């Protein structure tokens, strides 16, 4: 079996009930267990906090569409050269945006992707949060507002870029391997 | 009153019970409410996940001493120019290490700080995780092992640097203001 | 029709015979005309030199396999955030290496791709040529030789990285759009 | 004899007729053989493509003066720390611009060189193509147009910066040595 | 005794009279001898020139207040990760500005410090001088003038940033250790 | 008359006697007044300290030859894109090293210059002092010692790189113009 982490992977049967339950649920829904669940399961408390944070940002309703949130993940993870997040969230972006080409475009250079002005402004902001958050100032927030984002949206964009700053570092150091299944998901119109 | 965030701060009385309880507990223990609690409270689910993650990494027992964990926070937050984390965790580092000078040394240039070889190796590793995690490879882990760190310690160092990558970005974008109290804490031997 | 360049595209019928012939040949072979041919055709002399150089490096026999040459293109073009070259040569890499996952891995972080030691050394070298050629010295050439590459291979790796330094800049400034067809090519084992 | 390349130099007598002819012609015209001809001659097909591309960009008539084209070469090659191109094209720039001081000024810091506004805008654009072509956008092209450059001029500036991105990398990796003759050419008013 | 330099420290008794006199004077005034005097004393001529330059910039009257000059030192020295200058001049800044929190704020991220618009503009300018002086142009000087600085003030800001570029490099290479006394100076309102 | 500074130039007749004397002496010796004397003269105290420091480092006897000291100036000033120092000290280097080609080589890429191993190690060290002095550690000093440099030589190399960090910033911000005379000095063997 291909190695999915530099660190040991726990036996699923031995995991706490809630964690085992979450893993089985995602397997049932997706048809496979994304490796992030296996890699992080060795630390149950961190696993719980990680996915609670993830769900609070990525699964709730709100001003940013789910496709917009995935765009932030793909664009910022590409800047961090995080293979797991680019491949896995690239798949989710293709599906949520119903655009088979978008993830590869955003991953390489979001400035050349098929984005509208709002989406471009969102990624300009999120990429600044990812790479030089110390220099974010009022003019950056004003540029977001000029594109129709309110304070809740700006918080969401910030928090998503920040959360994947964490996630990218975990995935990079663990050498977390993207599941083979992600590469093909959402690449044909009929799927999306 | 000095502004502590670019975003609105909720009324403490209106917060969910668990969050209000946590804030009152820290106030009782510390004598003041660190602003990170106020700034993040506007998003209860994110607040809960943030502090659950924080506590899982910073409060548990384990191979890294609590002072070593705070060193990672100060060194990596300085690279991100995060005023809140450098000032607040600088105070905690002074207290936990019982070294009044250490935090300012680590914040400016950890290579010149009063560290032993183990601590120096730890910060070399954590700073690489913070700034170019995509390039972390087996030689970096081997350097940690050569200094007595095992896989659990390496995971801890990684996860702490990753968690504060998140925290620094939130603090930078919200312009989270360190409480005045932090600046003086732990600066005299008698306190520590 | 989607815009494929910031600059005007000539009428194919009006092109010099040799250029028109080349374009029709690639269309017959591939089933579509890669946009690089259309974008560069407005300058016939530059078009001829560009493809003569390309073919001299990419189509000849030699010590580097065709898949290895395409790896260089994908890895270095990703560093230059060149959407056209990453997408188009990603497709060619998938086909030539008969590995559906390889191109996305190399584009995000070649250090985490499914490469053997020889391939890893090749991309370390090529990426240094792409980003800081002024610092390439004898130790870099020795590292290549230690992995079985001779002087002709080193020249090839250098020239390919150099040629795509040119190509990436042309594609980036013209906003050359990758054809939709490239995104799916070589993604399933049966194709490759 | 001083070494002019890290790679072997072919015997001129054994070269294909067209390449030998070109080398003898440049020797007759210049009084010496610039080392780029010797270093690249070991790969005849690449040699032919390289000089065909070079001549298509640097020798034709067009909106950019020949001195302006050489300015681009010197400014961008300096950013790549390419000794051969800075020294050799510095000499050509001195001669074509009839300005003995200009090449050294441009090589060190074109912002402080004796340039008019048009030339300054040209080098701002070309240096962005050389160093961060992925970020070139419509505002960069508009700045060129505001200084009187049309689309053909912008293409020329782009292609020259791109071609010397290639040339700089070849010269850097081969350690191509500038001929001693270049250093003094065009340094006194009477020569130019 | 803690090591204060990588280089040998001369015997104070054996120093030239003027240098010994200066050291005794500062000791009398401050209650301790700042290590910069001991570290530099081994080269009497350089010592004299260094402090003559320092005093000409930092001790004279002029358009920049003494606190403003110290802000420049702290902000630019932090960018150079110079422990001695950040700690020692941080103390002086606290005292001269009568603001116990300011030095730590400026050292971490001057953009988040308690500064007025004039001070912010001053540090924007000085930090550009420190990190990319080759790109300083008329628009930077105009931004200073728009904030009330005249040519003499701009010269002062430039010269102070430049002088500490020198000082930071000396302190970094010598591993000049800040005296313990500096860390606490000016941290309580009554002192300042 | 060509502008030699962004700041006003004082009337030589009105300068303090010692400064006027120094300027006349250099004019008599060199045949022209290098612009650095005119540009800095408006601040007599800074002028005196600047040249006292300069002379203490560049004119004294010692382990580093005068040509080696000028190499440091040219290599580090090129990294700072300082036109005045590269052109003026390039001339001095040509004369002191009696090598007409050396300055242009060092200014573009010292790694490709005609240097022996000792000189190469010296410039590796000095360039690290110039660009990332915070990271200089014992291994850098050991590399110097392995090439025959003692502590006094290492101090000299450090101090020269540090002094020109100051000088480059002054020259860049003042837009100090190199005198035309420097460009040709030392370019022919008979001069040197």
């Amino acid at each position: 079996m291909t190695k999915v982490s530099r660190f040991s992977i726990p036996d699923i049967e031995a995991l706490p009930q809630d964690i085992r339950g979450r893993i089985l649920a995602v397997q049932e829904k997706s048809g496979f267990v994304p490796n992030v669940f296996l890699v992080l399961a060795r630390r149950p408390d961190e696993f719980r906090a990680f996915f609670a944070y993830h769900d609070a940002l990525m699964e709730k309703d709100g001003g940013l569409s789910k496709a917009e949130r995935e765009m932030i993940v793909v664009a910022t993870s590409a800047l961090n050269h995080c293979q797991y997040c680019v491949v896995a969230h690239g798949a989710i972006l293709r599906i949520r945006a119903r655009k088979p080409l978008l993830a590869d475009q955003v991953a390489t250079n979001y400035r050349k992707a098929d984005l509208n002005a709002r989406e471009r402004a969102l990624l300009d902001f999120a990429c600044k949060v990812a790479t030089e958050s110390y220099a974010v100032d009022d003019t950056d927030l004003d540029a977001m507002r000029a594109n129709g984002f309110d304070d809740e949206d700006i918080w969401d964009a910030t928090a998503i870029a920040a959360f994947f700053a964490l996630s990218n570092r975990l995935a990079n150091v663990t050498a977390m391997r993207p599941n083979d299944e992600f590469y093909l998901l959402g690449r044909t119109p009929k799927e999306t």
Side-chain angles (χ1 to χ4, degrees), chain A residues 3 84 110 134 160 170:
Chain A
K3 200 177 166 188
Y84 187 86
Y110 73 89
Y134 61 89
I160 293 167
L170 290 180

Side-chain angles (χ1 to χ4, degrees), chain A residues 27-44:
Chain A
Q27 184 174 33
E28 185 155 316
K29 183 179 168 200
S30 306
F32 64 97
V33 181
N35 288 330
V36 64
F37 291 94
L38 302 180
V39 174
L40 299 187
R42 66 200 297 284
R43 291 283 182 99

Side-chain angles (χ1 to χ4, degrees), chain A residues 3 15 28 49 57-58 93 109 149 154 175 177-178 182 192:
Chain A
K3 200 177 166 188
L15 289 172
E28 185 155 316
L57 296 172
M58 303 301 286
L93 173 55
N109 188 350
F149 297 103
I154 295 172
R177 183 180 175 84
F182 285 122
T192 58

Side-chain angles (χ1 to χ4, degrees), chain A residues 66-116:
Chain A
K66 289 188 178 174
E68 286 173 333
R69 293 178 220 179
E70 297 296 333
M71 276 175 216
I72 294 173
V73 180
V74 174
T76 62
S77 299
L79 295 177
N80 287 324
H81 305 293
C82 178
Q83 197 175 87
Y84 187 86
C85 296
V86 169
V87 171
H89 287 271
I92 303 173
L93 173 55
R94 285 190 293 271
I95 292 169
R96 294 204 163 165
R98 296 173 191 271
K99 293 187 178 175
L101 311 186
L102 188 60
D104 292 350
Q105 294 172 346
V106 168
T108 309
N109 188 350
Y110 73 89
R111 296 169 194 82
K112 301 284 171 61
D114 295 330
L115 301 175
N116 59 33

Side-chain angles (χ1 to χ4, degrees), chain A residues 11-64:
Chain A
D11 179 358
I12 292 184
E13 299 308 311
L15 289 172
Q17 180 58 33
D18 60 321
I19 292 177
R20 207 173 138 235
R22 169 124 197 189
I23 290 176
L24 295 176
V26 71
Q27 184 174 33
E28 185 155 316
K29 183 179 168 200
S30 306
F32 64 97
V33 181
N35 288 330
V36 64
F37 291 94
L38 302 180
V39 174
L40 299 187
R42 66 200 297 284
R43 291 283 182 99
D45 288 344
E46 298 168 37
F47 178 104
R48 291 180 189 107
F50 181 93
F51 288 105
Y53 217 141
H54 174 276
D55 294 353
L57 296 172
M58 303 301 286
E59 303 296 341
K60 68 159 186 176
D61 294 327
L64 299 187

